[in-house]
Amino acid sequence: MLFRKKKGTLPKTEELKIPAHVGIIMDGNGRWAKQRRLPRSAGHKAGANNFRTITRYASKVGVKYLTIYAFSTENWSRPAEEVSGLMTLFKEYLEEALRDFMEENIRVRFIGDISAFSPELQALIHEVEEASAGKTGMVLNLAMNYGGRAELVRAARRFAEDVKAGEKAPADLSEEELSRYLYTAGQPDPDLIIRPSGEQRLSNFLLWQSAYAEFVYFDILWPDFRPDDFDEALRIYSHRQRRFGNV
Ligand code: FPP
């Protein structure tokens, strides 16, 4: 699909390929706060606000699936105060989603082991999923308590359970079949993964699904990552040649 950008940083005539599925690793909130001599919590707050901006923008330009890495399985090891601040931000966002965000045509889904969250947060997660289930626009996957390795272990266990129950045979396992046991079952693999803050690694994000994703990193901290930067990622993506192992 092509998107013709009318204004902004791009030449008027440039045609952009809009990836069906974009993944974003929100990174750099802590450094953003440190640069301003603010507590890390202020960085996460700014990051959460930017998450809203970029999510809406991605939906506007026609992205069909957006997966955002909000909290990894490793993030629990941060100081208790920081973790509880992040939980508050998640709760605020989910309450806002139920209140206002539902006017937008975005379907919100969660990927990751949400059973580790408080019963209150889990209830909100279910409410938001149910309330947005009928939306026909962009699917927003929020990766919370998510880790790519944990997801693969979960998939292997679930497949083994099905074998034990006599519903599957070991020989049924193929790449396609394994994909059906992932949180992202039924969704296309990500085409583009964006990581701000200068780091150039996947950090356990969508390990299986990103096998052929184009990776674009930015030397910009997440709270400063603007829709124009998203456009720049689309421009870079549009010029990449994807060969999927072919010549
Ligand atoms: C990485 O920056 C960011 C996180 C671990 C948390 C991301 C969460 C939010 C932006 C909060 C709200 C999200 C939603 C969905 C409402 P970092 O702290 O690792 O930054 P640093 O590497 O500069 O320290």
Side-chain angles (χ1 to χ4, degrees), residues 68-84:
I68 299 265
Y69 209 1
F71 194 84
S72 77
T73 44
E74 290 73 38
N75 286 152
W76 294 107
S77 58
R78 294 190 173 206
E81 197 190 326
E82 181 168 346
V83 171
S84 98

Side-chain angles (χ1 to χ4, degrees), residues 21 64-65 107 109 139 141 151 175-189 208-209:
H21 189 166
K64 300 273 181 260
Y65 297 85
R107 178 171 180 190
R109 294 186 69 253
V139 174
N141 293 317
E151 180 183 34
E175 292 186 10
E176 243 181 6
E177 184 66 22
L178 194 134
S179 297
R180 289 190 197 110
Y181 287 83
L182 300 177
Y183 292 116
T184 50
Q187 301 187 4
D189 284 342
W208 173 275
Q209 298 89 332

